[in-house]
Amino acid sequence: MENEELTAEQIAGREVARLRGDVGMTQADLARRLSARGVEMHQTTVAKLEAGRRPIRLNELVVLAQILGVSLESLLPKSGAPSPLEAARAEAREKARRVEVLTTHLNSARAVAAATEQQLAQAEAEFSDALHRLEAESARHKTEIAGHETGAHG
């Protein structure tokens, strides 16, 4: 289907869906990020936007472009065919922005992983301490029982 056959909302919605998928974000992730930036939205609304079944407000489009790391213009229908050089420049800029977005996501994931590793190490140390206390208490309990049995038989 050519762009001329699609509405502006359908074109923008398809581009949002493509870019969202490129960065490995779910519709629910996108809805949460939009809401965190003051654009209240649920996953079902994101689905409707992507399908072109709900108009996209300008403020929503601006925030979508920011979250997806692209220019606002890249989400809009193209008015004319760019020159090959302009197209290559635009593609390079878009790819650079996506690299930035993915790098940010990766750095966030690394920070979460590091914090989780610290929490895991702490939990393992606490578990080890609890096992040592259990072993010591178990040995003390066995000694106590053996002492009662020896005293009872003696």
Side-chain angles (χ1 to χ4, degrees), residues 106-141:
L106 180 59
N107 289 337
S108 295
R110 284 180 176 154
V112 168
T116 303
E117 284 178 349
Q118 289 177 344
Q119 292 172 351
L120 176 60
Q122 178 67 32
E124 287 173 337
E126 291 170 359
F127 177 64
S128 178
D129 290 346
L131 279 179
H132 290 297
R133 284 192 296 278
L134 175 61
E135 290 169 354
E137 188 60 32
S138 179
R140 187 189 66 74
H141 184 68

Side-chain angles (χ1 to χ4, degrees), residues 49-69:
L49 288 177
E50 290 181 353
R53 293 191 319 263
R54 179 194 177 275
I56 301 176
R57 295 180 183 97
L58 183 57
N59 67 317
E60 294 170 344
L61 202 60
V62 169
V63 175
L64 282 164
Q66 291 169 349
I67 291 170
L68 296 170

